[in-house]
């Protein structure tokens, strides 16, 4: 596949393939139709023949080239698989575009320090598990690490000690850098409510105050998460822009993780 892609990557060869798709043609005819010199045309045909895209038939003094559809069909099948994957993940590109627009908007608004102080966000989910189970996914480090990271990030360290003045730490890493936040738990009622703050360290800093509430309902747990932003720097604009989308994805991760773990537990 790599060799075929490389061969078809040349514009002249692509034109030759298009011409041969209609019918077999001689070197002279292809040279005339492409505007290339005959030695150039011969070299391109040899390159295409080397990867199996065309075949040659000597007819006296003439050499006639024809398309071999089999390798082209295999190449087309590979492209079809890629295209199916692209279309299946169109939503992720939509997320990226929304984030790009949000960054532009927030960057324009970030004209002074503390520009986003007081900004609030809220999220809700109906989790198909009781509150005590959901609570564990928030306070047990190994369970937190399973879901508390948006796509392309991994959790390096996470601590959420569910006691007043308990430690709160989360550090993410992507292919380019690490991002660390530190803070403290302000209030905790087991299986019901957790209030804590996290301050992003570094130049692009800001503090987020989190208020998590878990209410038992017939379907499982009604999860409500409130966020309030303070101490924002101008450089924090891209981070602020990603809060709504990022936390939406992270909470979806939580839902999926609980569902997978519950299914595994039921199968044992």
């Amino acid at each position: 596949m790599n060799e075929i892609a490389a061969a078809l990557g040349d514009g002249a060869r692509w034109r030759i393939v298009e011409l041969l798709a209609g019918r077999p043609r001689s070197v002279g005819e292809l040279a005339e139709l492409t505007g290339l010199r005959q030695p150039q045309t011969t070299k391109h045909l040899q390159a295409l023949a080397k990867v199996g895209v065309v075949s040659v038939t000597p007819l006296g003094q003439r050499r006639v080239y024809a398309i071999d559809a089999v390798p082209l069909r295999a190449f087309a099948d590979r492209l079809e698989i890629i295209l199916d994957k692209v279309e299946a993940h169109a939503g992720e590109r939509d997320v990226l575009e929304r984030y790009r627009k949000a960054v532009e908007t927030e960057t324009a608004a970030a004209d002074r320090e503390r520009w986003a102080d007081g900004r609030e966000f809220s999220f809700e989910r109906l989790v198909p598990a009781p509150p005590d189970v959901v609570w564990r996914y928030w306070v047990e480090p190994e369970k937190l690490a399973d879901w508390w990271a948006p796509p392309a990030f991994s959790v390096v360290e996470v601590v959420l000690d569910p006691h007043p003045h308990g430690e709160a730490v989360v550090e993410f890493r992507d292919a380019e850098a690490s991002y660390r936040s530190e803070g403290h738990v302000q209030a905790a009622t087991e299986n019901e409510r957790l209030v804590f703050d996290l301050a992003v360290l570094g130049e692009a800093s800001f503090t987020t105050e989190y208020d998590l509430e878990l209410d038992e309902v017939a379907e499982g747990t009604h999860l409500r998460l409130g966020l309030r932003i303070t101490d924002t720097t101008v450089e924090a604009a891209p981070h602020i822009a990603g809060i709504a989308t990022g936390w939406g994805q992270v909470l979806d991760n939580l839902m999926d993780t609980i569902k997978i773990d519950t299914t595994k537990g039921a199968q044992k």
Side-chain angles (χ1 to χ4, degrees), residues 71-82:
L72 284 178
R73 171 51 59 193
F75 186 70
D77 290 343
R78 286 289 294 275
L79 288 177
E80 190 67 29
I81 291 172
I82 293 173

Side-chain angles (χ1 to χ4, degrees), residues 102-153:
V103 169
E104 290 180 352
T105 300
E106 299 294 2
T107 300
D111 57 353
R112 65 191 184 285
E113 297 299 305
R114 307 185 72 94
W115 59 278
D117 282 16
R119 184 87 61 86
E120 295 184 347
F121 303 84
S122 62
F123 305 89
E124 296 188 34
R125 291 292 189 277
L126 184 58
V127 188
D132 63 311
V133 171
V134 180
W135 178 262
R136 291 173 56 202
Y137 281 85
W138 280 88
V139 301
E140 296 182 9
E142 64 277 8
K143 291 188 178 297
L144 263 173
D146 282 344
W147 64 269
W148 196 349
F153 288 83

Side-chain angles (χ1 to χ4, degrees), residues 30-252:
L30 289 169
E32 181 179 351
L33 291 171
T34 59
L36 298 171
R37 290 179 299 173
Q38 189 159 320
Q40 290 177 301
T41 305
T42 299
K43 287 184 178 180
H44 286 309
L45 286 165
Q46 289 172 341
L48 292 169
K50 184 178 179 180
V51 299
V53 172
V54 302
S55 60
V56 58
T57 302
L59 296 175
Q61 298 297 319
R62 302 172 68 235
R63 297 172 67 83
V64 176
Y65 286 82
I67 282 286
D68 188 339
V70 174
L72 284 178
R73 171 51 59 193
F75 186 70
D77 290 343
R78 286 289 294 275
L79 288 177
E80 190 67 29
I81 291 172
I82 293 173
L83 182 58
D84 288 344
K85 191 171 184 178
V86 169
E87 293 175 345
H89 294 274
E92 295 181 21
R93 295 191 300 281
D94 292 340
V95 168
L96 179 62
E97 179 60 18
R98 291 198 301 272
Y99 177 55
R100 183 191 67 79
K101 292 180 178 179
V103 169
E104 290 180 352
T105 300
E106 299 294 2
T107 300
D111 57 353
R112 65 191 184 285
E113 297 299 305
R114 307 185 72 94
W115 59 278
D117 282 16
R119 184 87 61 86
E120 295 184 347
F121 303 84
S122 62
F123 305 89
E124 296 188 34
R125 291 292 189 277
L126 184 58
V127 188
D132 63 311
V133 171
V134 180
W135 178 262
R136 291 173 56 202
Y137 281 85
W138 280 88
V139 301
E140 296 182 9
E142 64 277 8
K143 291 188 178 297
L144 263 173
D146 282 344
W147 64 269
W148 196 349
F153 288 83
S154 59
V155 175
V156 177
E157 180 183 0
V158 62
V159 178
L160 203 51
D161 183 2
H163 301 92
H165 310 295
E167 184 181 22
V169 174
V170 61
E171 183 174 349
F172 302 123
R173 176 182 295 160
D174 63 9
E176 299 176 353
S178 294
Y179 311 87
R180 186 177 179 85
S181 300
E182 298 179 355
H184 294 89
V185 172
Q186 300 168 10
T189 303
E190 187 174 1
N191 302 334
E192 294 181 9
R193 192 178 183 210
L194 188 63
V195 181
F196 60 98
D197 62 71
L198 285 168
V200 177
L201 305 184
E203 185 177 1
S205 63
F206 64 98
T207 298
T208 306
E209 298 174 353
Y210 297 83
D211 190 344
L212 171 70
E213 294 182 348
L214 304 177
D215 293 322
E216 187 169 11
V217 294
E219 299 87 345
T221 301
H222 182 201
L223 181 154
R224 289 189 296 271
L225 179 65
L227 278 67
R228 186 174 183 274
I229 307 302
T230 62
D231 304 323
T232 46
T233 62
V234 171
E235 293 78 11
H239 299 278
I240 304 299
I243 287 177
T245 298
W247 264 102
Q249 293 175 318
V250 167
L251 289 176
D252 287 343

